[in-house]
Structure formats: structure tokens, C-alpha cells
Amino acid sequence: MGMLDRFRRRRRPYAALTDEERMARYVYLLNTLPASVIESAHASAFKDLPPERRRELFEQLRPFMAESERDAASDDPIVLARLMRRAEEHRARRAQGTDRDGADQGNGVLTALSADPRDAVDSRAILLTTGAMALIAHQFVMTSAVALYFTAGAGSLHLSDEPGWVGETFDAGAAGFDGSAGGGFDGGFSGGFDGGMGGFDGGGGFA
């Protein structure tokens, strides 16, 4: 069966996934997509969080704020997405064993003497502890930024190398991303994830 044939068989991507599967796929994309796509997708996804939840995330991501953003509205999804992108970039540098200046960090193991306040912030753990992870995972994957990357952007050139669920989800012939796939996001998503999967890193068998 060809790739396009498999695309056409699935017209309602994501319909039967559990919260854990959504989150694993979200984390996979965080580890895969370009930073610009991640920021744009988060900006769209954060719009669906209640303002008080966005403010809570904003405060916890404050170490990544630039001086010019000190007066930004704490519930602005665009600014929040920018902070999340920086947090993800910092996380990636730490995982590679280097700090922002390229200095060795002991293969990614941070010492208790680190003076960088950003080292104490884990963006994914914050989403879990605030109960926002499941909703953001669902909304992020269905944004137009991610869909366009895989249907018309650089991701479309290597789609056959991605896990099968990526090809099934991003059917180039199916319209309605940004929450409208499969009839639209109506607020009935089963949120309320309580953070019981602390330390979740997408390494589970949900690919």
C-alpha cells in the first residue's frame, strides 16, 4: 500500500487516542520540529487555555523572559509561546551536555551549584503539574503550523521517514486543522490530567 493510499484511509485523525498517546506524540514533535514551528503551534494551542492557566505558566517560565518583555500581558499566548520555545531550546542544550556558551555540563548532569535560574525550569514538567499537558498536546498537533510543515513544508519531503501516525494524521488531502479536524474542537476534550506521569519524556511506547 502506497503512502498516499494510507493517507486517504484515515479521514478523522486522532479520534481514538488516549491522553498518554497524545502526550507522547506531542513530545515527539517537540523533539523533531523546527523552533519556529513549535512557537507558532504553541501560540495557537495556548489560546485554548483559560487565562488564569496561561498566567500560571507565564510565571513559571519567567526566567526565560527578555528584559523587553517585562511588561507583557501575562496571559498573552504569543509571549507565552515565545517563552516556551526558549525553554525547549535550553532543555535541548542541557540534554546535549552544553550550556548556552557551549561549556561542558557533565553529559547533561547539572550540578547543584548552577547559577542559571533557567536550569531549574522544566517546561514539560510545568505543563504536567499545571494540568495543561493533555489539552496542549491535543491542540498543538492539530494546529495549522504543524499541519503545513508536514503537508507543504520541509516535513513533507521526509514524511516517509516519520512514524506511521505522522503520515496518518497529516493527510495532505484533508482540510480542517487548527482544531477543526473531525468536526471541530468543541471543548469536550477529556482534560483534567493530574500530572501523575511526572517526568514524562515521550519515551513510552506510544509512537
Side-chain angles (χ1 to χ4, degrees):
M1 179 184 299
M3 179 68 71
L4 290 179
D5 290 332
R6 191 173 75 234
F7 282 175
R8 295 187 182 104
R9 291 183 61 191
R10 187 167 184 178
R11 309 307 297 177
R12 296 189 63 191
Y14 250 22
L17 294 185
T18 65
D19 284 355
E20 288 79 8
E21 288 171 320
R22 289 187 178 96
M23 289 186 286
R25 295 182 179 191
Y26 167 63
V27 169
Y28 172 81
L29 293 177
L30 290 182
N31 294 334
T32 304
L33 294 172
S36 59
V37 177
I38 290 174
E39 181 175 334
S40 181
H42 270 142
S44 295
F46 286 142
K47 290 178 183 178
D48 291 302
L49 282 180
E52 60 272 17
R53 187 63 57 81
R54 292 201 296 268
R55 287 191 288 270
E56 185 177 359
L57 292 174
F58 185 92
E59 287 303 315
Q60 295 195 54
L61 291 168
R62 189 174 286 275
F64 293 94
M65 187 180 300
E67 189 66 33
S68 60
E69 296 167 334
R70 296 298 176 184
D71 296 328
S74 61
D75 60 353
D76 186 336
I78 295 176
V79 175
L80 185 57
R82 197 176 303 148
L83 300 181
M84 183 65 76
R85 173 182 56 77
R86 293 171 189 156
E88 282 294 318
E89 290 172 341
H90 188 70
R91 179 191 179 95
R93 286 193 293 269
R94 290 169 59 195
Q96 292 169 2
T98 59
D99 63 14
R100 65 183 180 277
D101 297 317
D104 181 65
Q105 289 288 311
N107 294 321
V109 179
L110 296 170
T111 70
L113 299 178
S114 174
D116 190 339
R118 300 175 303 172
D119 291 344
V121 178
D122 186 323
S123 53
R124 301 175 193 182
I126 288 173
L127 290 177
L128 282 168
T129 57
T130 58
M133 182 65 139
L135 176 58
I136 292 302
H138 174 75
Q139 295 296 75
F140 180 95
V141 179
M142 301 311 297
T143 59
S144 61
V146 176
L148 287 171
Y149 176 76
F150 283 116
T151 58
S156 65
L157 302 177
H158 307 286
L159 200 58
S160 61
D161 298 327
E162 296 288 347
W165 64 265
V166 175
E168 293 176 348
T169 301
F170 301 105
D171 182 344
F177 285 94
D178 246 336
S180 60
F185 183 77
D186 60 4
F189 176 72
S190 57
F193 186 75
D194 62 6
M197 292 177 61
F200 179 76
D201 63 1
F206 305 123

